């Protein structure tokens, strides 16, 4: 083509679609070459044999005693939780379900599902069942019946799909409605279908040879839960009409945050709680805990109001105020001590020396902070925080009420943030509001933890089974998240002290097996703790899980931090954002988005790793399947031990349960990744 | 314009013998210059000549080791408070835009005014909207940076800097990463900004822009200002051999 020629390309309409269909696909993908065809056939045969011999042959074998699983469902879920208190478990489940129902409505979860999708699921399941029945071992007659029924279902779905044609695509159902229908189906099955080969009499501990309907308490419980699910969903829909989605989502979020401590500590743990006496077991709140809140809230607010002072023109006033506070603290300390030691869980044994030591420390702190603050504002906020931190640490070494130590530590962390909120009145008020809210949550949590349970249960903990697994996993993951993020920031920090501390911690913990960490917390930690400080096994397991998981999370997050281009830091610096602001608004949101897959992987790992707590004597989900049920000496009519040695059935069951949950996590993570547009930047 | 800039305006940036090393490599070998209020200074030079390093020392994205830099009466030292104050008064536009990809255009622009200037949100948004109108893309306010073209992104970056109401704007090769047809839209915005009386230091290879807008041109080579002068002097009658060579290669 010569250079002066100018060619305009006429683009034609796209050619017809290439031929499609299962045969075309198979030819192009499975049998594209002789070698490929041989491999395909070999692997198909291997899969069929595996399913036939190992999966179906084993699961459907006459010798399997799955009644060991079904009969022990309560043990699996809540272990030795007292039977007469079981209503609280149902209340707990209903609480979660109610929150889930409102959340579904508030977040408008669920799209449309076409009739075609549903019919295809029917075709797939029916076809797979028919195929399974045909290749299975065992009685031919039964297998043929199952194959014909399942094949019939598949064929019916296929036929309906054909008959509907394009309408199958355009007819849609709301996924929530489909889900609701499935719940209704499950409840109907629960009430009508007799399960298994035995009726287990829990009073006489005898299993009789007659198919048993699920026990009445269970049936009523699940029915109630299902009713709550529907009611809460429709209530959520109704609320969406009267209030904004944003407000409702806020309420729901607060509900979720409060639900875990409420359920674990009040509904499940405190025995005096019931509908007639909602304050039962919490009378001491008014006598002590309210004051534990009001005192620090007032003093702390004043302190933080001063710490977030705008450019210090009138620093003299602040210096004076701090001195006055310090002076007040000395006479107030014994009074506060007296008040605190009034608690039923024991006095402090604080003597005059301690009071002088602590009082003096407080005064020194106030004066030091006052002096530093009186100069300038940016640096001093940090210096003040450092000083309060040291004070908080020193308080841990003195005989002082645990709650006091925790509150001072949290206060110190808050002062660290003071410079970020310095300046206008609005952000300072918000800052103090945040402090009061955090303090309220802390005091509530501590009060709830500190209430001794009078629930009578065998073993180390009132929690067991799947309930324990969930509590451990959820708490460890939630708590380890902020710690892991802080440690990742520390490791990438330009300040050597934080960098070294984080690196040492992360490398140390990652080099130790989780079981070792658990044993350390169970047996050795108590030697390092101040006298009089004890944790129960669940708390220890949560601590171990949190600190262990935090180290791994930190490394994941660090990966995300390193993926942030330098230009992002430069741009935020050039705009005058402080390090804290650029970390919170620019760096972390992007870093966390980049590592969602790794974070979900970590969540899944923690969920499964909770099974290791059996090593410190807790009865988790796996331990019950592995050790408890296979050792059960339940006698049946023939006088035989019923469930002895049913390990494989139980392990199979819990494997399926673990898989369902972890698989759901990873599917949910895929949805989140899509939603935040990962990889589309 | 140069007449206005030269008469009676005070020096807003003063650099005295600024030296900067990256390890053993000396990037700035003693730069002395000053910029007056409302002056537009264009910095040109071959790559590696230290012109970007120089402009980045002015808001302390790079730390100089010797010499003094005084911006708006405040000397740049390690004092964090001074640095943050200077940065909030000196806007910077980067070659790679450096918009925050997880925030909308509106959030990109209002973030610093709300958190550094402590402006109420609605006021910051109103300002942001008028700035977006000024740079010609008000309809993109709720999009994410990834959905915009390069030229639009750079205009958002300019609006983002302007939202802090800076006294000085630094431009570090603002059009070098752009497709040719998008360069003009960015340069038009910069020209409009120069005419409005903003103090600007621009590192660029756009000679047309330098000729049209600059009050003064600085030519950098080997970490030094080799030659400086008005555009007329610079482009028509360069004195130094290096300058002549450079201009002969690019014009």
């Amino acid at each position: 083509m010569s250079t002066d020629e100018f060619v305009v390309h006429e683009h034609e309409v796209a050619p017809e679609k290439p031929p499609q269909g299962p045969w075309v696909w198979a030819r192009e993908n499975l049998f594209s070459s002789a070698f490929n065809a041989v491999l395909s056939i070999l692997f198909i045969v291997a899969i069929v044999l595996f399913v036939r011999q190992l999966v179906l042959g084993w699961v459907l074998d006459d010798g399997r005693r799955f009644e060991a699983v079904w009969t022990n469902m309560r043990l699996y879920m809540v272990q030795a939780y007292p039977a007469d208190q079981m209503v609280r478990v149902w209340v707990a489940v209903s609480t979660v379900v109610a929150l889930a129902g409102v959340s579904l409505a508030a977040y408008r979860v669920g799209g449309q599902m076409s009739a075609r999708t549903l019919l295809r699921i029917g075709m797939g399941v029916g076809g797979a069942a028919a195929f399974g029945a045909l290749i299975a071992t065992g009685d031919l007659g039964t297998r043929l019946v199952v194959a014909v029924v399942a094949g019939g279902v598949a064929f019916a779905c296929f036929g309906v799909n054909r008959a509907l044609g394009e309408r199958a695509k355009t007819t849609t159902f709301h996924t929530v409605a489909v889900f609701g229908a499935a719940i209704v189906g499950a409840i109907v099955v629960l009430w009508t279908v007799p399960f298994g080969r035995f009726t287990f009499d829990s009073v006489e501990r005898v299993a009789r040879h007659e198919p048993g309907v699920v026990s009445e308490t269970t049936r009523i419980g699940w029915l109630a839960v299902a009713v709550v699910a529907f009611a809460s969903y429709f209530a959520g829909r109704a609320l969406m009409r009267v209030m904004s989605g944003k407000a409702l989502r806020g309420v729901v979020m607060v509900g979720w945050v409060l639900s875990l401590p409420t359920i674990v500590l009040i509904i499940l743990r405190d025995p005096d709680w019931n509908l007639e006496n909602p304050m039962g077991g919490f009378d001491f709140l008014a006598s002590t805990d309210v004051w534990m809140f009001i005192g620090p809230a007032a003093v702390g607010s004043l302190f933080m109001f001063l710490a977030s002072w705008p450019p210090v023109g009138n620093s003299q006033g602040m210096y004076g105020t701090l001195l006055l506070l310090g002076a007040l603290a000395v006479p107030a300390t014994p009074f506060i001590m007296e008040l605190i030691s009034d608690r039923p869980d024991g006095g402090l044994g604080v003597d005059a020396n301690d009071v002088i030591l602590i009082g003096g420390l407080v005064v020194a702190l106030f004066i030091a902070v006052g002096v530093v603050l009186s100069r300038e504002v940016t640096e001093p906020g940090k210096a003040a925080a450092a000083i309060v931190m040291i004070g908080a640490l020193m308080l841990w070494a003195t005989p002082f009420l645990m709650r006091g130590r925790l509150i001072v530590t949290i206060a110190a962390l808050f002062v660290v943030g003071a410079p970020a909120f310095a300046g206008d009145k609005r952000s300072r008020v918000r800052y103090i509001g945040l402090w009061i809210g955090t303090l309220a949550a802390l005091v509530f949590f501590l009060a709830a933890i500190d209430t001794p349970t009078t629930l009578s249960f065998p073993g180390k903990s009132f929690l067991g089974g799947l309930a324990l697994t969930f509590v451990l996993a959820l708490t460890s993951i939630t708590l380890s998240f902020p710690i892991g993020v802080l440690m990742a920031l520390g490791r990438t920090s330009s300040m050597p002290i934080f960098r070294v501390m984080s690196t040492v911690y992360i490398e140390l913990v990652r080099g130790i097996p989780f079981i070792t960490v658990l044993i350390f917390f169970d047996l050795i930690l108590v030697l390092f703790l101040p006298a009089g400080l004890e944790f129960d096994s669940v708390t220890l397991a949560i601590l171990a899980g949190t600190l262990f998981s935090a180290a791994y999370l930190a490394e994941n997050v660090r990966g995300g931090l390193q993926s942030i281009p330098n230009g992002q830091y430069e741009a935020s610096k050039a705009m005058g954002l402080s390090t804290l602001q650029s970390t919170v608004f620019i760096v972390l949101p992007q870093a966390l988005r980049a590592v969602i897959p790794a974070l979900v992987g970590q969540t899944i790992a923690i969920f499964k790793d909770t099974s290791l707590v059996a090593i410190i004597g807790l009865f988790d989900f796996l331990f019950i399947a592995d050790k408890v049920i296979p050792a059960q000496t339940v006698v049946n009519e023939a006088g035989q031990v019923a469930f002895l040695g049913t390990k494989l059935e139980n392990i199979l069951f819990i494997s399926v349960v673990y898989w369902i949950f972890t698989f759901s996590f990873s599917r949910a993570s895929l949805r989140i990744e899509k939603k935040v547009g990962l990889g589309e930047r | 314009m140069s007449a206005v800039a030269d008469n009676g305006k005070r020096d807003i940036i003063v650099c005295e013998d600024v030296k900067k090393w990256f390890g053993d490599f000396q990037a700035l070998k003693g730069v002395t210059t000053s910029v007056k209020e409302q002056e537009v200074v264009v910095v040109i030079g071959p790559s590696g000549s230290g012109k970007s390093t120089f402009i980045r020392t002015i808001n302390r994205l790079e730390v100089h080791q010797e010499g003094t830099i005084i911006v708006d009466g405040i000397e740049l030292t390690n004092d964090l408070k001074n640095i943050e104050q200077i940065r909030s008064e000196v806007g910077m536009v980067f070659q790679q835009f450096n918009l925050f990809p997880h925030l909308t255009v509106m959030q990109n622009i209002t973030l610093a005014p709300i958190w550094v200037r402590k402006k109420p949100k609605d006021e910051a948004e109103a300002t942001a909207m008028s700035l977006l109108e000024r740079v010609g893309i008000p309809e993109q306010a709720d999009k994410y940076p990834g959905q915009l073209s390069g030229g639009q992104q750079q205009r958002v970056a300019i609006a983002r800097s302007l939202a802090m109401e800076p006294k000085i704007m630094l431009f570090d090769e603002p059009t070098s990463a752009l497709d040719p047809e998008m360069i003009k839209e960015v340069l038009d915005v910069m020209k409009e900004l120069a005419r409005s009386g903003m103090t600007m230091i621009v590192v660029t290879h756009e000679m047309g822009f330098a000729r049209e807008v600059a009050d003064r041109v600085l030519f950098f080579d080997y970490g030094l200002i080799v030659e400086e002068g008005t555009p007329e002097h610079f482009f028509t009658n360069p004195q130094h051999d290096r300058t002549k060579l450079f201009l002969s290669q690019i014009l």
Side-chain angles (χ1 to χ4, degrees):
Chain A
M1 190 194 303
S2 66
T3 48
D4 55 344
E5 218 172 322
F6 192 70
V7 181
V8 177
H9 292 274
E10 295 281 346
H11 291 282
E12 289 170 12
V13 191
E16 279 177 44
K17 271 190 193 171
Q20 280 176 315
W23 298 116
V24 178
W25 180 87
R27 206 169 53 232
E28 284 175 359
N29 293 283
L30 297 179
F31 305 106
S32 56
S33 69
F35 179 63
N36 197 349
V38 170
L39 281 185
S40 298
I41 290 171
L42 271 181
F43 276 101
I44 290 170
V45 170
I47 291 168
V48 168
L49 281 179
F50 173 77
V51 172
R52 175 191 155 90
Q53 299 303 122
L54 286 171
V55 182
L56 293 172
W58 188 82
V59 173
L60 299 178
D61 189 272
D62 276 345
R64 293 284 86 76
R65 289 181 289 167
F66 281 106
E67 60 270 21
V69 174
W70 314 135
T71 314
N72 282 302
M73 215 39 101
R74 193 174 89 198
L75 195 64
Y76 266 128
M77 295 303 140
V78 293
Q79 200 231 344
Y81 202 84
D84 58 334
Q85 296 286 332
M86 206 57 87
V87 64
R88 290 209 236 141
V89 174
W90 292 112
V91 171
V93 174
S94 302
T95 312
V96 174
V97 166
L99 275 169
V102 180
S103 302
L104 280 182
Y107 288 90
R108 291 202 186 84
V109 173
Q112 296 291 319
M113 215 177 196
S114 69
R116 176 165 288 179
T117 315
L118 284 175
L119 289 168
R120 280 190 177 155
I121 293 173
M123 277 154 66
V125 173
F131 181 71
L134 286 178
I135 64 165
T137 52
D139 178 45
L140 184 68
T142 324
R143 285 198 285 137
L144 278 179
V145 171
V146 174
V148 167
V149 171
V153 169
F155 192 73
C157 291
F158 178 74
V160 174
N161 192 16
R162 264 292 163 84
L164 283 175
E166 272 306 299
R167 285 227 314 273
K169 228 180 196 172
T170 49
T171 317
T172 55
F173 307 96
H174 200 269
T175 41
V176 175
V178 176
F179 188 59
I183 294 179
V184 171
I187 295 292
V188 169
V189 167
L190 200 67
W191 276 77
T192 52
V193 179
F195 284 93
R197 286 172 285 190
F198 291 96
T199 300
F200 180 67
D201 188 328
S202 60
V203 181
E204 293 174 34
R205 294 190 68 72
V206 169
R208 288 198 192 83
H209 263 289
E210 54 195 58
V213 177
V214 176
S215 78
E216 191 144 83
T217 46
T218 310
R219 280 185 291 166
I220 293 174
W222 282 117
L223 180 64
V225 170
V227 170
V228 168
F230 285 105
S232 61
Y233 179 71
F234 288 110
R237 290 278 294 267
L239 281 172
M240 284 291 276
R241 262 176 241 127
V242 293
M243 64 200 285
S244 76
K246 202 178 166 191
L248 187 59
R249 284 193 282 275
V251 172
V252 169
M253 201 41 91
V254 172
W256 278 113
V257 171
L258 291 180
S259 66
L260 186 71
T262 312
I263 287 170
V264 175
L265 299 169
I266 297 176
I267 302 180
L268 291 179
R269 192 169 185 273
D270 176 39
D272 286 343
W273 181 87
N274 58 47
L275 291 175
E276 288 87 43
N277 183 19
M279 279 302 285
F282 284 90
D283 297 332
F284 63 88
L285 267 180
S287 68
T288 311
D289 288 280
V290 170
W291 300 109
M292 284 293 295
F293 168 68
I294 291 176
V299 178
S301 298
L302 185 55
F303 189 72
M304 278 158 210
F305 185 73
L306 296 170
S308 61
W309 201 272
V312 189
N314 28 18
S315 53
Q316 305 304 320
M318 180 162 44
Y319 183 52
T321 316
L322 286 170
L323 263 181
L324 186 71
L325 274 177
L328 279 176
V330 182
T333 310
F335 174 71
I336 295 167
M337 293 271 178
E338 187 75 24
L339 196 70
I340 294 166
S341 60
D342 207 29
R343 292 272 294 118
D345 55 330
L348 289 166
V350 180
D351 62 16
N353 286 334
D354 296 332
V355 173
I356 292 166
L357 177 69
I358 294 163
L361 204 63
V362 171
V363 176
L365 277 179
F366 277 122
I367 293 175
V369 174
V371 168
V372 181
L373 275 182
S374 64
R375 288 208 203 111
E376 273 178 295
V377 124
T378 339
E379 285 300 307
K382 290 176 193 164
I387 292 166
V388 179
M389 283 298 258
I390 294 166
L393 284 176
M394 285 172 75
L395 212 54
W396 282 82
T398 53
F400 195 65
L401 194 72
M402 195 61 204
R403 291 176 195 200
R405 299 175 218 222
L406 277 172
I407 288 171
V408 175
T409 307
I410 302 288
L413 288 174
F414 256 84
V415 183
V416 176
F421 295 89
D424 80 46
K425 202 172 149 198
R426 222 161 33 103
S427 55
R428 288 168 82 197
V429 168
R430 208 180 292 161
Y431 171 55
I432 287 164
L434 195 65
W435 155 247
I436 292 176
T438 311
L439 185 70
L442 180 75
V443 169
F444 162 80
F445 202 70
L446 291 174
I449 282 181
D450 218 11
T451 315
T453 174
T454 52
L455 212 59
S456 63
F457 50 86
K460 268 180 148 181
S461 162
F462 68 100
L463 277 176
L466 196 59
L468 175 69
T469 299
F470 267 126
V471 167
L472 288 180
L474 285 176
T475 329
S476 306
I477 290 160
T478 320
L479 294 179
S480 65
F481 194 76
I483 301 177
V485 169
L486 281 180
M487 221 129 45
L489 291 173
R491 192 164 185 181
T492 51
S493 161
S494 57
M495 293 168 86
I497 180 76
F498 292 135
R499 203 168 54 233
V500 170
M501 273 167 54
S502 305
T503 310
V504 167
Y505 177 83
I506 291 168
E507 295 304 338
L508 199 67
V509 170
R510 293 204 316 155
I512 300 174
F514 185 46
I515 290 191
T516 318
V517 179
L518 276 171
I519 295 173
F520 173 85
F521 272 81
D522 192 37
L523 300 176
I524 306 169
L525 185 71
V526 69
L527 304 176
F528 294 92
L529 291 177
L533 185 59
E534 277 173 33
F535 296 111
D536 71 18
S537 295
V538 175
T539 314
L540 285 173
I542 288 173
L543 271 178
T546 302
L547 296 178
F548 186 76
S549 149
Y552 284 84
L553 270 173
E555 283 299 273
N556 287 338
V557 175
R558 185 167 71 101
L561 290 174
Q562 283 172 345
S563 75
I564 308 290
N566 206 21
Q568 296 287 309
Y569 292 95
E570 287 185 350
S572 49
K573 271 193 209 165
M575 289 159 69
L577 292 175
S578 70
T579 313
L580 183 71
Q581 287 168 339
S582 87
T583 305
V584 171
F585 298 128
I586 308 300
V587 178
L588 273 185
Q590 295 186 55
L592 293 179
R593 257 169 234 224
V595 295
I596 290 175
L599 295 181
V600 173
Q602 179 62 21
T603 307
I604 290 174
I606 284 290
F607 180 69
K608 292 183 295 181
D609 279 354
T610 53
S611 54
L612 293 171
V613 297
I615 210 88
I616 60 169
L618 291 172
F619 284 62
D620 80 299
F621 197 47
L622 171 63
F623 188 74
I624 288 169
D626 182 45
K627 292 278 168 4
V628 180
I629 298 177
Q632 267 179 347
T633 53
V634 179
V635 180
N636 69 12
E637 287 166 316
Q640 290 157 339
V641 173
F643 302 145
L644 205 61
T646 54
K647 202 174 226 178
L648 290 173
E649 292 85 342
N650 286 297
I651 296 290
L652 183 73
F653 166 71
I654 63 154
S655 308
V656 171
V657 174
Y658 274 121
W659 180 80
I660 288 173
F661 283 112
T662 49
F663 184 66
S664 313
F665 290 161
S666 71
R667 299 309 289 184
S669 115
L670 279 183
R671 290 182 66 114
I672 297 171
E673 277 169 42
K674 267 201 189 132
K675 205 172 172 189
V676 300
L678 198 66
E680 288 175 23
R681 270 195 282 157
Chain B
M1 272 201 85
S2 55
V4 181
D6 289 337
N7 294 333
K9 296 288 182 185
R10 72 189 176 98
D11 288 337
I12 194 162
I13 301 172
V14 180
C15 300
E16 200 74 52
D17 200 25
V18 175
K19 292 177 184 169
K20 160 87 193 167
W21 283 264
F22 290 108
D24 287 335
F25 173 72
Q26 187 169 7
L28 298 179
K29 297 175 178 165
V31 176
T32 303
T33 188
S34 60
V35 178
K36 290 182 189 306
E37 269 183 328
Q38 303 200 348
E39 195 179 10
V40 177
V41 175
V42 169
V43 182
I44 61 175
S47 63
S49 61
K51 54 191 194 303
S52 275
T53 308
F54 167 67
I55 196 175
R56 286 156 63 88
T57 56
I58 292 171
N59 65 351
R60 214 170 172 81
L61 286 181
E62 302 290 355
V63 178
H64 63 283
Q65 282 106 356
E66 278 180 29
T68 53
I69 301 175
I70 297 171
V71 179
D72 198 21
I74 303 171
E75 185 178 350
L76 283 175
T77 59
N78 277 327
D79 188 334
L80 216 63
K81 194 184 151 200
N82 283 351
I83 296 171
E84 277 176 12
Q85 198 189 332
I86 286 170
R87 280 178 180 159
S88 69
E89 283 169 15
V90 180
M92 185 155 194
V93 175
F94 300 86
Q95 183 179 353
Q96 299 294 342
F97 329 134
N98 293 344
L99 293 178
F100 305 130
H102 62 299
L103 301 177
T104 62
V105 166
M106 178 56 81
Q107 289 166 333
N108 261 284
I109 299 176
T110 54
L111 184 75
I114 290 174
W115 288 95
V116 181
R117 288 265 188 263
K118 315 277 183 197
K119 268 194 190 178
K121 193 175 171 216
D122 39 355
E123 194 187 318
E125 282 181 351
T127 315
M129 213 55 218
S130 67
L131 283 169
L132 281 176
E133 271 158 26
R134 190 168 164 192
V135 300
I137 41 173
E139 72 283 358
Q140 312 287 2
D142 294 322
K143 289 199 182 160
Y144 287 89
Q147 297 166 300
L148 305 183
S149 73
Q152 290 171 330
Q153 289 195 43
Q154 194 60 295
R155 286 189 276 162
V156 172
I158 294 173
R160 180 174 73 174
S161 294
L162 291 176
M164 291 292 284
E165 292 157 14
K167 292 180 179 162
I168 303 163
M169 286 284 283
L170 307 175
F171 291 84
D172 189 3
E173 303 200 24
T175 55
S176 300
L178 294 176
D179 290 340
E181 73 258 42
M182 292 168 183
I183 291 177
K184 185 175 175 293
E185 63 189 53
V186 172
L187 289 181
D188 285 346
V189 170
M190 289 168 63
K191 284 175 194 166
E192 186 269 324
L193 196 59
R195 271 180 233 119
S196 74
M198 174 66 74
T199 312
M200 290 163 65
I201 303 183
V202 185
V203 174
T204 187
H205 295 297
E206 296 295 328
M207 294 307 144
F209 175 81
R211 228 184 259 250
E212 187 182 338
V213 181
D215 295 315
R216 192 150 55 95
V217 177
L218 304 182
F219 178 70
F220 263 71
D221 203 3
Y222 300 117
L224 285 167
I225 298 177
V226 175
E227 186 163 355
E228 66 173 290
T230 59
E232 302 91 73
H233 153 82
F234 192 82
F235 288 108
T236 54
N237 187 21
Q239 302 297 311
H240 200 280
D241 288 345
R242 273 297 300 159
T243 321
K244 285 175 191 164
L245 181 65
F246 180 75
L247 288 175
S248 73
Q249 279 167 345
I250 62 161
L251 286 177

